[in-house]
Amino acid sequence: MSTLNSNFKYLIILPLIACVSFSCKGAEPDVTPNAPANVATPTYVNVSIATDKAVYKPGDNVIFTIDNSALPATAKVRYKNANTVISEANVTGSTWSWTTPTTDFKGYIAEIYTTVNNVETIYATIGIDVSSDWKKFPRYGFLSKFGILSTDEINGVISNLNRFHINGLQFYDWQNKHQKPLPMSGSVPASSWKDIGNRDIYFSTVEKYINAAHGYNMKAMFYDLVYGAWDNAETDGVDKEWYIYTDNTHTNRDIFALSSPFLSNLNLLDPANSGWQNYMANETKNVYKYLAFDGYHMDQLGDRGTRYKYDGSFMNLSGSFKSYIDAIKAAAPEKYNVMNAVAQYGQQGIATSTSDFLYSEVWSPSDSYNDLVNIIKQNNTMSSNSKNTVLAAYMNYDKANTVGYFNTPSILMTNAVIFAFGGAHLELGEHMLCKEYFPNDNLAMKDDLKQSLVNYYDFLVAYQNLLRNGGTFNTITIASTDNKISLSAWPAAQGKVAVFGKKFDNSQVIHLINFTNSTTQQWRDKNGIQVMPVLVKDTKLLLTSDRTVKNIWIASPDVAGGASRKLNFAQVGNKVSFILPELRYWDMVVIEY
C-alpha cells in the first residue's frame, strides 16, 4: 500500500482504461497500482455434510455429520462469520458438535479443510443460521401432498429440506373447505377429507409432517385464502352480507370459478368485514387446537377489478388485508402470519400490518431480473426496512406443461439475483415449484442443480448478515483494466457483468452477476433457454475508494462451496487494484476499511 504526494494532480479514471494519467513537475509516474497476484484458488472436493437442524438459537449445539471416508487424517474444521475465523478444531470422526456463539441473528459457515505447502483443499462447507426467530431470515419451503405417506417418506422430505436450511414450510391445500379448513367428526377432527382439488388428505399425515418439521426447528404454516368460501357456505354459518359483489345491488357475488376435478367454486368475502374476521378467527383457533401449526399463510387472488359490499358501497379490496391480518393476529398473538401479495396487490397495507415478513407472488409484467429487484426494494421501503422478502417466482413455466427437467442456469441466475438483493425464493418442497398449483411436479432437478442449490442456500445462510441484515444499496466506481469483462452498473444488461454495491459502516460489499453470454433477461425463462455463463478468470479490477482499505475478501456460491478467502490488493491514493480470481454466475467481494 502506498500514498501519493499531495502535489500530484490526476484525472478521473475512465471505464476499461488500464491506467490513470496525471500531471506534475518532472517525471510522470503511473498512479494506478499494479494488482498483486492472488493466492491459489483452493481445490474443492465436495464431501457430503449435514447439520441436525435448519436453524439454531444462540448457545445451541450444532451436530455435524460428514462422510469422513473421503477426509484425510489432518482435516480440520473452522467456523467463520463473514471472513473472520471464530474457532477451529480437528475433525476426528463422522460426527462432532459445535456450540454456537451467544449473539443472536448471525450467519456462519463451517469449512472442512487441509493445508499442504500453503495450499488449501476445501473438502466440505455448510452454512449455520443462529437466530432465535425465523422471521428475521425466512427461507420458505412448501408441502403439497398429504395422502397416505409412511414415516420414512415424510422424514425423507423434511431431512432433504433441512439440508437447504429451510426454516418455514407452507402447507399448501391441506385444508377441506376454505371456510372450514379442519373438518370435524363430532367433537374430534375427521381422520381424512377432500381438498378442493378432490384429493384425499389425511389428518395423520399433516400431523406427522408438522412434528417432523419441528424436529428440525422448522415452522409449519397452514395455508388458506383470506376470503374464500365454497358454494353453499351459508350452511356453515357464513352470512350473505359478508360477501363481495360485482354490482351495487348485491345481486351477483364475486366468484372465482373452478371446474372439474375441483369440488367447488370459490365465493369471495370482504376481508375487512368484522363478522367474517370473527368467523375465521374462530376457525383458525380450531385448527390450532388440534394441529400444532405455528401460523397462518394467507392467500388472495390479486386485483379483482371494481367490486362492492353488500350495502352497495365501493369495496376497497387492496386496502382490506391489513385489517384482516391484524384481527387474526389479535385472536392468536403467539402465532405467525404472512400474506401473499399477488403481483404486489395490497402489499402497502400488508407491509404495515402485523405480518411477520413479506411474500410476493411474481407475475407479468414483472418479467425481467430488474423487476425482481424492484419488488424486493419496494417491500423494503414499504416496511421501513423491517421485514425481509420471500418471492414466489415460478420457473420454466411453459416448459412445465410437459414432463421434463428444470433448466439449471435459469434457476441459478434467478437465485443469484434474488439472494444478492436480500430476498429468498419459495421453490423447494417435495419437489421444485414450476406452477402456482403447488402439487404440479412435471419438472425435476438434475443432479448438477441439486448440488448447486445446496451451495446457494449455504451461501444465503452463511452471509445473511451482509445479504439480508441492513446496509444501504449504493453505486460503486469500479472498472476492468484488462478488458476480460464488460462491467455495467445494475440494472442487468445482456452481454454485461452487472455490478452493484451495498454499504455498511466499515465495509463495502460488491456484487457481480455475470450476464456476459445470457440468452434472455426474463427471469422466469419460460421455455428453459438460459445458458451457463462463461467462466472468467483472473480479471484485473480497479476500484475507486475514498477510504483506506484494510482487507479484501471474496466468496461465491459457485466456487469452493462458498468458502471465503482473502485477496491481495494494492492501494495508491483512492485507487485500489485487485484480481478477481474467477466469476461464473455470482461473486461477492467485500472491502473492509
Side-chain angles (χ1 to χ4, degrees):
M1 186 180 301
S2 58
T3 58
L4 290 179
N5 185 290
S6 60
N7 290 330
F8 290 147
K9 297 177 181 179
Y10 48 90
L11 302 177
I12 300 300
I13 186 168
L14 297 175
L16 305 181
I17 298 300
C19 62
V20 176
S21 298
F22 63 97
S23 63
C24 65
K25 294 180 180 180
E28 294 186 354
D30 184 354
V31 300
T32 302
N34 291 319
N38 286 320
V39 296
T41 299
T43 301
Y44 181 49
V45 180
N46 192 18
V47 174
S48 176
I49 187 172
T51 56
D52 62 325
K53 299 288 190 292
V55 60
Y56 299 87
K57 292 182 179 179
D60 279 356
N61 279 337
V62 182
I63 306 299
F64 296 89
T65 303
I66 196 169
D67 176 10
N68 67 331
S69 64
L71 296 183
T74 56
K76 294 183 177 182
V77 57
R78 62 189 171 212
Y79 308 99
K80 295 161 73 174
N81 170 247
N83 193 48
T84 301
V85 176
I86 305 299
S87 63
E88 59 181 306
N90 295 322
V91 177
T92 57
S94 61
T95 64
W96 72 94
S97 66
W98 176 59
T99 302
T100 62
T102 56
T103 305
D104 207 353
F105 303 118
K106 291 289 185 181
Y108 301 90
I109 189 169
E111 300 172 357
I112 290 76
Y113 74 101
T114 60
T115 304
V116 178
N117 297 325
N118 293 321
V119 176
E120 281 195 354
T121 298
I122 304 290
Y123 287 88
T125 60
I126 192 166
I128 304 145
D129 180 7
V130 179
S131 297
S132 61
D133 197 327
W134 79 294
K135 71 180 183 181
K136 176 72 171 179
F137 302 116
R139 297 177 299 279
Y140 213 10
F142 72 93
L143 297 169
S144 64
K145 299 172 183 178
F146 307 99
I148 297 177
L149 296 175
S150 69
T151 299
D152 286 345
E153 287 175 309
I154 289 171
N155 289 339
V157 169
I158 301 301
S159 175
N160 179 62
L161 292 173
N162 179 67
R163 184 57 190 87
F164 295 94
H165 314 286
I166 298 300
N167 57 5
L169 290 171
Q170 176 188 154
F171 283 57
Y172 176 88
D173 271 7
W174 70 280
Q175 78 282 11
N176 180 221
K177 298 177 183 179
H178 288 65
Q179 77 276 10
K180 287 280 184 184
L182 181 61
M184 302 296 290
S185 177
S187 60
V188 298
S191 60
S192 66
W193 56 86
K194 295 283 189 180
D195 77 345
I196 195 169
N198 200 24
R199 301 181 309 154
D200 290 320
I201 308 295
Y202 288 84
F203 180 92
S204 60
T205 299
V206 175
E207 186 175 49
K208 288 177 182 178
Y209 259 134
I210 294 171
N211 292 337
H214 287 166
Y216 287 95
N217 288 348
M218 299 176 190
K219 300 300 183 183
M221 304 284 285
F222 80 82
Y223 168 95
D224 202 359
L225 280 174
V226 300
Y227 56 5
W230 288 20
D231 298 331
N232 303 316
E234 290 86 346
T235 60
D236 289 326
V238 175
D239 194 305
K240 65 182 180 180
E241 295 188 9
W242 301 346
Y243 285 96
I244 300 172
Y245 294 85
T246 60
D247 55 70
N248 60 7
T249 59
H250 59 254
T251 303
N252 300 297
R253 289 180 184 170
D254 187 10
I255 296 176
F256 186 75
L258 294 167
S259 57
S260 180
F262 292 92
L263 298 180
S264 174
N265 299 309
L266 286 170
N267 300 258
L268 305 189
L269 300 104
D270 177 7
N273 183 284
S274 60
W276 173 242
Q277 290 175 355
N278 292 333
Y279 180 96
M280 283 306 296
N282 288 328
E283 291 300 322
T284 299
K285 289 178 181 177
N286 190 59
V287 170
Y288 292 142
K289 181 178 180 181
Y290 295 103
L291 289 166
F293 279 115
D294 300 288
Y296 177 1
H297 179 95
M298 306 174 179
D299 200 9
Q300 52 147 309
L301 300 173
D303 191 349
R304 303 294 295 168
T306 302
R307 293 294 186 266
Y308 301 90
K309 300 179 183 180
Y310 184 84
D311 64 7
S313 62
F314 173 74
M315 170 79 219
N316 179 15
L317 184 57
S318 67
S320 68
F321 301 137
K322 181 182 187 301
S323 173
Y324 183 91
I325 296 167
D326 292 346
I328 297 297
K329 184 70 171 181
E334 74 283 5
K335 300 294 185 177
Y336 294 94
N337 294 295
V338 62
M339 184 171 177
N340 178 14
V342 177
Q344 290 296 84
Y345 187 71
Q347 188 71 285
Q348 184 70 58
I350 297 169
T352 57
S353 75
T354 51
S355 65
D356 288 290
F357 58 89
L358 299 185
Y359 178 104
S360 300
E361 189 175 58
V362 188
W363 295 106
S364 291
S366 296
D367 297 323
S368 71
Y369 292 113
N370 196 47
D371 290 326
L372 294 178
V373 172
N374 288 339
I375 290 171
I376 295 170
K377 288 185 173 181
Q378 287 168 12
N379 289 350
N380 291 344
T381 299
M382 286 188 284
S383 68
S384 299
N385 294 306
S386 65
K387 299 176 182 181
N388 272 323
T389 291
V390 173
L391 299 183
Y394 313 122
M395 300 295 301
N396 297 166
Y397 195 82
D398 292 349
K399 197 171 190 282
N401 291 331
T402 56
V403 174
Y405 290 95
F406 283 100
N407 173 282
T408 294
S410 61
I411 305 299
L412 298 183
M413 189 65 81
T414 293
N415 279 350
V417 172
I418 294 173
F419 292 2
F421 279 93
H425 191 183
L426 181 86
E427 58 183 344
L428 296 174
E430 309 100 330
H431 51 273
M432 177 175 261
L433 276 183
C434 54
K435 296 282 188 178
E436 69 274 24
Y437 184 60
F438 288 12
N440 185 314
D441 59 359
N442 279 349
L443 298 183
M445 290 189 285
K446 293 181 179 178
D447 288 342
D448 66 332
L449 177 55
K450 291 178 184 178
Q451 183 53 55
S452 292
L453 272 185
V454 167
N455 294 336
Y456 270 63
Y457 278 81
D458 279 338
F459 195 87
L460 181 65
V461 167
Y463 304 107
Q464 60 192 13
N465 298 108
L466 295 175
L467 297 172
R468 313 183 74 189
N469 190 25
T472 303
F473 291 115
N474 67 331
T475 300
I476 54 172
T477 302
I478 190 168
S480 168
T481 61
D482 57 13
N483 296 321
K484 286 188 176 181
I485 56 176
S486 178
L487 298 176
S488 177
W490 191 271
Q494 213 152 344
K496 304 286 187 178
V497 172
V499 184
F500 67 95
K502 199 174 193 184
K503 186 178 181 180
F504 294 83
D505 287 343
N506 292 308
S507 63
Q508 171 69 60
V509 179
I510 303 171
H511 293 283
L512 301 100
I513 302 180
N514 188 3
F515 296 99
T516 298
N517 60 316
S518 63
T519 54
T520 177
Q521 285 296 301
Q522 305 292 296
W523 63 264
R524 197 184 299 278
D525 190 15
K526 291 183 179 181
N527 295 303
I529 63 170
Q530 190 63 279
V531 296
M532 180 187 292
V534 60
L535 177 64
V536 183
K537 302 193 73 172
D538 298 325
T539 303
K540 295 180 180 179
L541 298 180
L542 189 64
L543 171 72
T544 300
S545 173
D546 59 0
R547 300 178 66 179
T548 300
V549 174
K550 181 174 69 174
N551 290 307
I552 299 180
W553 57 272
I554 187 173
S556 170
D558 308 311
V559 180
S564 64
R565 59 199 192 277
K566 288 182 70 172
L567 299 181
N568 295 327
F569 69 95
Q571 181 168 11
V572 177
N574 67 347
K575 304 301 177 188
V576 183
S577 182
F578 62 95
I579 294 176
L580 193 72
E582 63 280 300
L583 172 63
R584 177 68 80 181
Y585 289 91
W586 168 31
D587 281 356
M588 181 179 72
V589 177
V590 181
I591 314 296
E592 295 178 339
Y593 303 115

